[in-house]
């Protein structure tokens, strides 16, 4: 192990077998990429649960969420000439794309940050309405005053954008709609206002000029966003050569906002790096990792549903210690601790 | 001629030869896609002027705008192994893309809406800063109260997004930054607030799920935008099968907001269609053209720099008459008139 992350010895914390599928027609394929928060003295995870349908002979079945947030299933005969199922993840029927796997977000709580379990009174969050019919993914949770801001990936035939829901009690949620239009994901709102503005990191993608870069945006209310600025681009021959995107909400330090991000290569190897952003203008980058602060090294990070992936969008911070919750190989939820001082030191090299 | 547009008999109104290049190192390649407005009793056009560098033996030269809005030119030797100039529009040098043609916006005024000329006191608008280094394109002009809102395409290595500048006098401009992050263009702000909110049409593009569709967004201030909704998708086998995008600001009628838009096929044939949107919630589509209201039929629309294109982002409206200014074959500025009643009638078929 050559990176600066200290992995929990009993990783993974959670695997697909540890939870029940959302209903009898579905099978959990992956648990991954938990949003993380603290609430009533407990640590909460909002775990992404990716499910496929139970396999049926001679059929390809695709799930989707209806307007009520309930799963419905479409069955296509394998020999139907209108069906193109050559891609295992996205099938096409009569010109329309469907995903074979869709995600919802499961709420789990823990007293010690290690043993997590579901509680009857906290329901899971499902895709609802036409912008989430193919699921909701990779939620970041930011707390400002007494409100939790949940920014997550909305997936539907309209495209992939960023949705916002807010809550105070994890039972009642206000839906604020799509805050960043397609193609966009990996959005984290800063946990305090700067110059009386909300700030966020987000990751628009370009089919032409540009790429998969990290941008900042400002907002008067957390719902309407503007003044978009590009702060971190891909870098040839480095760990973030193909795409990068923000992790959880940046951590305030004396030296600046510390943002942990993921970077991937053309070979889809996902590592973590860090950005240090100006305290008063987070669109100014003070420093950036030359080498990953964490990379897929453990066996459960190198092999699995989609191997060679460490991906984070959730952590807690106490003193110098970051408890980093992360997805390993797009299949398990894992824990590592990192020292803020060590990350800052690595940025000075 | 089978569409419902009445073309001006002396089209085109303006061609590359009618204006001087922005400096002696540049050549005007195309005049196209004028934003349109009324000011001090005159009709104003904000014409997109696409320029390339003067050709030099053995070199490929690419222009860009520096932070002061001045053109600078980079010369690459044709035999330099780091140069890839296989695409005439976008060359790559050492991993960085450059455009061979960049656009600025030229202000022209007319008393009769037909004869346009430049005036010394109204300067052209150039790309300024790192988000406009490869030019500014296809400006829509919306007037709300006494402020003109200019929404235009910002082009740079960061990607293609929507910029906003405002003005009251066409001499002093306030730069409001990028209001829609990449990949986005074809943005038109509605000319009055609805439910005390600004509304806009915009056109995000997706590299994966989704496509090149028209969306609405809302804003408290015209600068920060949210609640994105998809209102018009591409339609297989129709004139808008590959991409579509809003024209100028929608026209308020008793039956709804009338939005003229462009639609293109896989063969890049650009036509115009119309959408009728709910007066109180423009994200609701009441009607949409099954057939184009205008298509490339005249010789100057069928042949030119990029043939088979009619594209509009500017018009004036008096009574039932729309004076539609448009780009023909991505080379000329032309004029046609359309009757609002005729368009509404075509939507009822």
């Amino acid at each position: 192990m050559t990176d600066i992350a200290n992995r929990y010895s009993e990783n993974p914390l959670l695997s697909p077998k540890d939870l029940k599928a959302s209903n009898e027609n579905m099978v959990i394929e992956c648990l991954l990429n938990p949003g993380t928060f603290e609430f009533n003295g407990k640590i909460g995870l909002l775990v992404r649960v990716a499910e496929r349908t139970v396999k049926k002979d001679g059929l390809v079945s695709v799930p989707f969420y209806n307007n009520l947030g309930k799963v419905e299933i479409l069955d296509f005969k394998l020999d139907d000439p209108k069906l193109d199922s050559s891609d295992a993840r996205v099938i096409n029927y009569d010109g329309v794309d469907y995903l074979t796997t869709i995600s919802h977000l499961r709420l789990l709580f823990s007293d010690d940050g290690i043993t997590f379990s579901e509680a009857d009174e906290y329901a899971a969050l499902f895709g609802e309405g036409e912008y989430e019919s193919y699921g909701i993914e990779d939620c970041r949770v930011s707390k400002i005053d007494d409100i939790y801001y949940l920014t997550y990936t909305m997936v539907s035939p309209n495209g992939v954008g960023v949705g916002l829901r807010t809550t105070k009690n994890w039972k009642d949620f206000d839906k604020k709609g799509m805050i960043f239009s397609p193609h966009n994901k990996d959005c984290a709102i800063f946990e305090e206002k700067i110059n009386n503005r909300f700030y966020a990191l987000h990751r628009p993608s370009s089919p032409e000029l540009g790429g998969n870069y990290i941008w900042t945006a400002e907002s008067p209310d957390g719902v309407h966003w503007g003044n978009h600025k590009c702060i971190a681009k891909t870098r040839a021959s480095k760990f973030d050569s193909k795409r990068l995107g923000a992790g959880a909400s940046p951590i305030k330090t004396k030296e600046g906002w510390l943002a942990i991000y993921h970077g991937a290569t053309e070979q889809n190897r996902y590592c973590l790096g860090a950005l240090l952003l100006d305290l008063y203008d987070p669109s100014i980058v003070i420093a950036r990792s030359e080498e990953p602060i964490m990379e897929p090294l453990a066996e459960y990070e190198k092999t699995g549903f989609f191997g060679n992936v460490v991906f984070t969008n959730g952590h807690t911070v106490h003193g110098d210690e970051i408890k980093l919750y992360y997805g390993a190989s797009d299949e398990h939820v894992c824990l590592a601790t990192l020292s803020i001082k060590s990350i800052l030191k690595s940025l000075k090299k």
Side-chain angles (χ1 to χ4, degrees), chain A:
Chain A
M1 303 288 177
T2 63
D3 62 31
I4 61 171
N6 300 300
R7 287 156 180 83
Y8 174 57
S9 58
E10 307 294 316
N11 270 342
L13 295 187
L14 293 162
S15 295
K17 63 175 170 39
D18 298 327
L19 297 181
K20 277 188 185 166
S22 60
N23 74 55
E24 68 282 5
N25 299 313
M26 302 298 284
V27 176
I28 296 180
E29 194 102 76
C30 315
L31 295 189
L32 66 167
N33 306 356
T36 306
F37 57 96
E38 294 183 69
F39 175 65
N40 282 352
K42 293 177 188 289
I43 294 181
L45 295 184
L46 204 49
V47 175
R48 174 177 168 193
V49 178
E51 296 182 321
R52 61 169 174 79
T53 56
V54 173
K55 289 201 165 84
K56 301 174 207 164
D57 282 347
L59 296 176
V60 171
S61 302
V62 291
F64 67 93
Y65 295 115
N66 66 18
N67 284 337
L68 302 172
K70 300 289 178 197
V71 174
E72 293 189 29
I73 294 172
L74 292 174
D75 292 324
F76 303 114
K77 288 186 180 164
L78 268 172
D79 58 2
D80 189 327
K82 289 182 181 169
L83 178 71
D84 176 358
S85 58
S86 54
D87 184 330
R89 297 162 306 172
V90 184
I91 68 145
N92 188 286
Y93 186 81
D94 203 15
V96 181
D97 286 329
Y98 297 93
L99 301 189
T100 53
T101 300
I102 63 175
S103 294
H104 65 278
L105 303 173
R106 205 74 73 86
L107 265 171
L108 293 94
F109 289 95
S110 171
D111 289 316
D112 61 5
I114 289 170
T115 309
F116 286 87
S117 55
E118 295 185 89
D120 285 342
E121 66 263 44
Y122 297 104
L125 280 68
F126 292 92
E128 292 175 18
E130 64 173 314
Y131 297 97
E132 302 177 354
S133 57
Y134 292 176
I136 55 178
E137 304 176 355
D138 299 349
C139 187
R140 278 78 174 167
V141 180
S142 301
K143 191 179 183 195
I144 305 176
D145 301 328
D146 59 343
I147 299 175
Y148 295 92
Y149 291 78
L150 283 63
T151 50
Y152 57 89
T153 307
M154 302 172 124
V155 187
S156 82
N158 299 295
V160 173
V162 175
L164 172 66
R165 300 185 197 185
T166 60
T167 187
K168 289 185 177 183
N169 60 13
W170 294 96
K171 292 176 180 172
D172 306 300
F173 295 86
D174 283 336
K175 292 173 67 179
K176 303 292 190 181
M178 187 182 287
I179 60 171
F180 293 106
S181 57
H183 184 90
N184 209 312
K185 49 169 61 175
D186 299 329
C187 172
I189 296 178
F190 286 65
E191 292 195 293
E192 63 182 68
K193 293 187 195 173
I194 303 160
N195 306 319
N196 208 30
R197 294 273 188 211
F198 289 82
Y199 272 79
L201 303 176
H202 64 112
R203 208 287 297 277
S205 290
S206 276
E208 297 172 18
L209 276 176
N212 303 295
Y213 306 153
I214 297 176
W215 291 61
T216 54
E218 300 175 22
S219 172
D221 54 14
V223 177
H224 303 89
W225 294 87
N227 202 18
H228 302 278
K229 292 185 178 175
C230 183
I231 64 162
K233 293 194 168 79
T234 45
R235 297 177 295 184
S237 312
K238 290 202 188 288
F239 69 93
D240 45 15
S241 57
K242 180 64 179 174
R243 65 176 67 84
L244 64 166
S249 186
I251 299 161
K252 193 174 189 181
T253 75
K254 281 183 187 164
E255 302 190 32
W257 293 100
L258 179 64
I260 297 174
Y261 72 93
H262 65 268
T265 60
E266 285 74 5
Q267 292 74 38
N268 292 312
R269 184 172 191 265
Y270 278 74
C271 295
L272 302 183
L275 289 162
L276 189 64
L277 310 176
D278 186 274
L279 279 179
Y280 306 101
D281 179 355
S283 74
I284 298 171
V285 177
I286 301 167
R288 178 174 174 184
S289 297
E290 293 294 323
E291 302 295 332
I293 58 170
M294 186 170 179
E295 50 188 319
L297 296 175
E299 197 53 36
Y300 49 86
E301 296 161 351
K302 290 196 286 185
T303 59
F305 183 80
F306 197 94
N308 280 317
V309 172
V310 291
F311 184 104
T312 189
N313 47 296
H315 58 230
T316 61
V317 178
H318 289 279
D320 181 57
E321 187 189 70
I322 301 170
K323 272 200 167 112
L324 187 91
Y325 294 89
Y326 68 100
S329 295
D330 274 5
E331 184 170 340
H332 308 286
V333 172
C334 293
L335 170 63
T337 58
L338 287 106
S339 147
I340 292 174
K341 278 185 197 148
S342 298
I343 300 174
L344 292 175
K345 196 174 152 200
S346 78
L347 290 173
K348 286 175 184 154
K349 277 178 189 160

